[in-house]
Amino acid sequence: MLKLNLENAKIDEKEIMKYKSQVENIHKDLHRRARDEEDFVGWLELPTNYDKDEFERIKKAAEKIRKESDVLLVIGIGGSYLGARAVIDALSSSFVNLQKEEKRKKPMIFYVGNNLSPNYINELIEILEDKDFSVNVISKSGTTTEPAIAFRIFREILENKYGIDEARSRIYVTTDKERGALKTLSEMEGYERFVVPDNVGGRYSVLSAVGLLPIATAGIDIDRLMNGARVAQEKYSDSDLKYNECYRYAIARNILYKSDKLIEVLVNYEPKLHYFTEWWKQLYGESEGKDRKGIFPAGVDYTTDLHSMGQYIQDGRRNLFETVINVKKPNLNIRLNADDDNLDGLNYLAGKDLDYVNKKAMEGTIEAHVSGGVPNIMITIDELNEENIGELIYFFELACGISGNILGVNPFNQPGVEEYKRNMFRLLEKPGY
Ligand code: PA5
């Protein structure tokens, strides 16, 4: 169960309530648009309104990949891979790819098509030499350069390794139901195809086939993930600001932004959440950074980054606030033992567990940063499991939709990313540019 704490954000309740009618209007507007196929608000009802047959097909495909492959290559960029990676990393062992096969019992998931580095591709090709692998290529537009190049390379490798027919049965395509080069290609080749719903944009698509096929292949229970999101959908369907913590978070951000807190730093004390932060950064950065407006979304992994970014956050420009994702209970803990010699001076911790130390680091840091002028928002979940991650995903997506609208931007488009593409295509002499 997710809980929001705004105590250390030092926001007056009256300030929050000033947003009441604005947020109620946005709430109504989003819910009115949720089933419009031409709009981009389909994510709002995705935990309940999704293609159930496709959902079963995803589970079957995941099972098949698990049986016949040591590796699943997830080819995609931005919203087409970050959600899957966020969930898989949060819910798997940090060393999952190094686990012995008998223990792991599922393919290793590798990501490609999210950069243009020849080093990365060559190193991956080398790793795959003695491994059986399948590919899930994910692109809503079906035309994005990075995944298209990676798919061309790895399709050829698959065909050379297994022959055209078997290669076909190892390729899974997730793309638009009607448009795009990838859709045409997959139809011609007969690849198994999954759909990115028309009314769900890339960065809001983790709970569709985009995220669900890689997540299920990684051995994560997608029914439980959807259940968690469903709980959140139900919980936040009441727009009452006294109870709706999702809307309170969106409003708190806006209040802080208006008092010149222009950077939000998402903080975790659990390295498994590193990619969750990357997903969150894309969600908020692409949704809100428009028309010369928007909070800059940044992220840190503590306590690691207390030894790098900690100084700035404590003492640099006072234009930021922190949002901590606090995981109450670790999945595994470790007790610190007494040592006869105590040469490291750590016996004062003997008998305590490591999570206790981690939590004290968190409490001490919050206290220091708040007194140093960094407002703090805290979001607590009980532990890392499918339901809680599902709930957290929905919480942040909905808060983003509300927050972007409060800000007065369209949180569902991304016109700004086109400019670099135009330049790149011109420089690459792509026909028509
Ligand atoms: O959120 C978005 O829409 C983007 O980040 C896209 O996900 C990203 O650009 C990849 O696009 P596509 O899935 O069309 O390849």
Side-chain angles (χ1 to χ4, degrees):
M1 197 55 96
L2 185 156
K3 289 238 55 81
L4 174 80
N5 185 341
L6 293 177
E7 216 171 287
N8 285 318
K10 315 260 185 254
I11 292 172
D12 191 343
E13 191 60 25
K14 280 196 210 116
E15 283 298 305
I16 292 183
M17 288 302 161
K18 283 187 190 156
Y19 287 76
K20 190 174 179 328
S21 68
Q22 185 185 13
V23 166
E24 265 164 17
N25 288 335
I26 298 169
H27 173 91
K28 279 193 205 122
D29 184 53
L30 291 181
H31 279 273
R32 185 181 51 75
R33 294 160 56 190
R35 293 203 174 196
D36 185 343
E37 293 293 321
E38 307 290 307
D39 211 331
F40 284 99
V41 193
W43 51 269
L44 189 66
E45 293 186 359
L46 207 47
T48 46
N49 183 22
Y50 60 93
D51 181 338
K52 312 284 183 302
D53 293 337
E54 184 182 69
F55 193 79
E56 290 310 311
R57 221 158 40 80
I58 289 172
K59 288 199 230 167
K60 284 209 184 88
E63 199 48 49
K64 178 168 177 288
I65 298 169
R66 289 165 65 140
K67 278 208 190 95
E68 60 189 26
S69 288
D70 306 312
V71 170
L72 172 67
L73 281 193
V74 175
I75 302 183
I77 195 164
S80 286
Y81 93 105
L82 281 168
R85 189 158 193 179
V87 176
I88 292 169
D89 282 15
L91 299 177
S92 309
S93 159
S94 308
F95 305 99
V96 64
N97 289 343
L98 296 176
Q99 281 176 337
K100 293 218 172 70
E101 240 178 281
E102 312 84 79
K103 184 161 170 72
R104 184 165 31 84
K105 292 195 189 109
K106 54 211 167 207
M108 295 178 271
I109 313 287
F110 293 138
Y111 305 88
V112 65
N114 55 61
N115 61 58
L116 290 169
S117 158
N119 289 333
Y120 189 93
I121 301 251
N122 274 301
E123 287 156 11
L124 182 56
I125 291 173
E126 194 189 323
I127 286 292
L128 291 176
E129 251 160 35
D130 60 347
K131 299 199 171 43
D132 282 313
F133 72 101
S134 300
V135 163
N136 180 199
V137 53
I138 309 165
S139 175
K140 179 163 181 168
S141 62
T143 53
T144 307
T145 311
E146 293 88 338
I149 289 176
F151 185 47
R152 183 179 274 218
I153 294 170
F154 287 98
R155 183 163 66 114
E156 190 184 333
I157 295 174
L158 268 179
E159 288 174 352
N160 290 339
K161 186 166 177 151
Y162 299 105
I164 304 268
D165 284 343
E166 190 178 338
R168 275 196 190 114
S169 76
R170 288 175 172 272
I171 293 174
Y172 302 82
V173 172
T174 309
T175 191
D176 189 88
K177 92 169 170 285
E178 271 155 18
R179 286 172 291 267
L182 192 54
K183 193 252 165 188
T184 313
L185 179 67
S186 64
E187 227 167 30
M188 290 180 68
E189 295 289 337
Y191 302 141
E192 173 148 24
R193 207 165 68 232
F194 299 93
V195 167
V196 190
D198 275 347
N199 57 356
V200 178
R203 58 191 173 276
Y204 293 86
S205 68
V206 50
L207 298 175
S208 73
V210 171
L212 295 177
L213 179 56
I215 292 169
T217 306
I220 291 162
D221 187 333
I222 56 174
D223 284 299
R224 290 180 57 197
L225 187 74
M226 291 299 265
N227 280 342
R230 215 167 288 137
V231 166
Q233 183 186 335
E234 167 67 28
K235 193 156 88 174
Y236 306 129
S237 61
D238 179 351
S239 62
D240 190 335
L241 287 188
K242 276 206 210 81
Y243 313 104
N244 193 317
E245 298 193 311
C246 179
Y247 293 4
R248 292 173 69 83
Y249 168 62
I251 293 169
R253 299 177 81 246
N254 192 263
I255 294 172
L256 292 167
Y257 176 68
K258 286 204 296 207
S259 65
D260 280 336
K261 302 296 182 192
L262 305 180
I263 300 168
E264 178 176 14
V265 186
L266 194 72
V267 178
N268 68 73
Y269 285 79
E270 170 51 68
K272 284 176 192 292
L273 289 176
H274 177 82
Y275 264 91
F276 195 88
T277 300
E278 293 304 309
W279 169 81
W280 172 91
K281 275 161 60 180
Q282 190 220 351
L283 178 63
Y284 281 80
E286 270 194 357
S287 298
E288 292 197 318
K290 284 162 201 166
D291 308 334
R292 305 290 186 259
K293 295 188 211 172
I295 295 174
F296 182 85
V300 289
D301 301 323
Y302 288 163
T303 60
T304 310
D305 290 333
L306 284 173
H307 299 259
S308 61
M309 299 301 288
Q311 170 61 38
Y312 190 103
I313 292 171
Q314 181 69 49
D315 216 17
R317 280 197 72 177
R318 302 297 71 192
N319 58 357
L320 39 88
F321 66 97
E322 288 184 308
T323 297
V324 176
I325 300 182
N326 171 28
V327 183
K328 247 195 197 161
K329 199 165 90 28
N331 303 64
L332 303 165
N333 210 339
I334 186 162
R335 208 178 140 92
L336 302 171
N337 296 327
D339 179 271
D340 286 348
D341 301 326
N342 194 29
L343 293 177
D344 54 12
L346 284 177
N347 269 358
Y348 73 102
L349 293 175
K352 302 276 194 301
D353 60 55
L354 191 54
D355 189 56
Y356 170 83
V357 182
N358 203 16
K359 291 293 185 296
K360 293 298 156 202
M362 178 179 82
E363 288 165 25
T365 305
I366 292 174
E367 207 178 300
H369 290 181
V370 170
S371 65
V374 180
N376 187 282
I377 295 174
M378 185 183 282
I379 294 166
T380 301
I381 56 171
D382 294 334
E383 60 179 347
L384 290 178
N385 62 28
E386 282 89 338
E387 284 86 359
N388 289 337
I389 292 294
E391 196 175 339
L392 208 50
I393 286 170
Y394 191 89
F395 174 92
F396 279 126
E397 286 181 353
L398 178 55
C400 189
I402 298 285
S403 179
N405 274 290
I406 295 176
L407 196 63
V409 298
N410 175 358
F412 311 123
N413 65 1
Q414 58 279 341
V417 298
E418 293 309 314
E419 188 149 346
Y420 97 87
K421 288 188 197 165
R422 272 196 300 276
N423 292 346
M424 178 177 77
F425 292 147
R426 179 176 42 79
L427 295 168
L428 287 169
E429 299 177 29
K430 181 175 176 173
Y433 284 85

